[in-house]
Amino acid sequence: MTTNADEPPARPRRAPAGAAVLREDVTEAIRAAVFEELAAVGYGRMSIEGIARRAGVGKTAVYRRWRSKLNLVLDVVSAMAVLGLPAPDTGSLEGDLRLLYEVMSRALRHPVASQIIPDLQAEAARNPEMAETLQKAVRDGQDGVASKIVAAARERGEVNADLDLDLALDLISGPLYWRAVIIRSPKLPKGYLANLAKATAGALKAL
């Protein structure tokens, strides 16, 4: 097929008339409303109507973005993993662990997080899709930072080069998560984070 050089160039195609343009500020308002609604009523009682009302939008705005409340919650949880935690760089394994624990402690003990996490864990026990997403969020977020701490310690020669990474991640993440999320201790003992960092660093060096 030949074209006439004198023909005007084809105009760029336009979006179909009436196509929905998803405003980012509305999307973020809905995501924020999900956290507030989860903290207020829990996953079981949470509804698209309640989320829309809290976000100040109509239900249609929510359904344009997510087809169900499960998809909405899974998306929000996955977005948390992308944000992650900052990777400490204090120059020592114990110092990195201490800074990580301070950040983790504040995050896990935040009033909203302390209400949402147990509720999502309970739902994950009944919902394989939720369980898989929560596991990925933890692995991509917290474990990603812990892996960087171990890698830096290897480069400094503080731990063995053949250190079992999975065991190291369990040692780093387990104790604080157990105390803050599982038994939900209302207050950490004085000096707990410093002692935990010291003990964990010693354990990792001994492996």
Side-chain angles (χ1 to χ4, degrees):
M1 177 178 180
T2 60
T3 58
N4 189 332
D6 293 330
E7 290 181 358
R11 295 181 180 180
R13 298 179 63 183
R14 296 182 179 179
V21 178
L22 302 182
R23 289 170 44 188
E24 186 61 27
D25 60 330
V26 173
T27 301
E28 290 307 311
I30 295 171
R31 286 193 173 116
V34 171
F35 284 109
E36 295 172 3
E37 194 74 359
L38 278 171
V41 303
Y43 180 84
R45 294 174 56 197
M46 188 181 77
S47 66
I48 295 295
E49 290 82 357
I51 293 169
R53 184 169 53 251
R54 194 178 289 273
V57 301
K59 288 192 300 181
T60 304
V62 181
Y63 281 117
R64 282 198 189 109
R65 293 161 172 82
W66 300 278
R67 65 179 183 270
S68 68
K69 77 171 184 178
L70 175 61
N71 293 114
L72 175 50
V73 171
L74 293 179
D75 176 69
V76 170
V77 170
S78 298
M80 290 170 57
V82 174
L83 294 175
L85 296 169
D89 185 18
T90 65
S92 73
L93 175 58
E94 184 176 334
D96 287 352
L97 290 172
R98 172 67 184 274
L99 185 55
L100 174 65
Y101 288 149
E102 289 176 353
V103 174
M104 282 179 57
S105 179
R106 287 194 296 269
L108 291 174
R109 298 168 72 83
H110 187 280
V112 173
S114 64
Q115 291 175 285
I116 290 176
I117 293 175
D119 183 63
L120 291 181
Q121 286 179 321
E123 181 62 27
R126 300 183 291 268
N127 189 316
E129 191 175 0
M130 176 74 79
E132 182 179 355
T133 300
L134 285 177
Q135 290 170 5
K136 186 176 186 301
V138 172
R139 184 168 58 249
D140 290 352
Q142 182 174 311
D143 283 3
V145 176
S147 297
K148 292 178 181 178
I149 291 176
V150 173
R154 279 173 172 166
E155 291 180 2
R156 292 190 297 260
E158 292 183 273
V159 297
N160 293 324
D162 60 351
L163 175 67
D164 185 327
L165 182 58
D166 288 336
L167 179 56
L169 298 182
D170 288 344
L171 286 173
I172 292 172
S173 305
L176 187 58
Y177 189 83
W178 169 265
R179 181 176 283 270
V181 178
I182 305 302
I183 65 174
R184 305 184 73 179
S185 177
K187 186 177 180 180
L188 293 176
K190 184 178 180 179
Y192 177 81
L193 296 180
N195 291 334
L196 179 60
K198 183 177 181 179
T200 304
L204 293 175
K205 292 176 182 180
L207 292 178

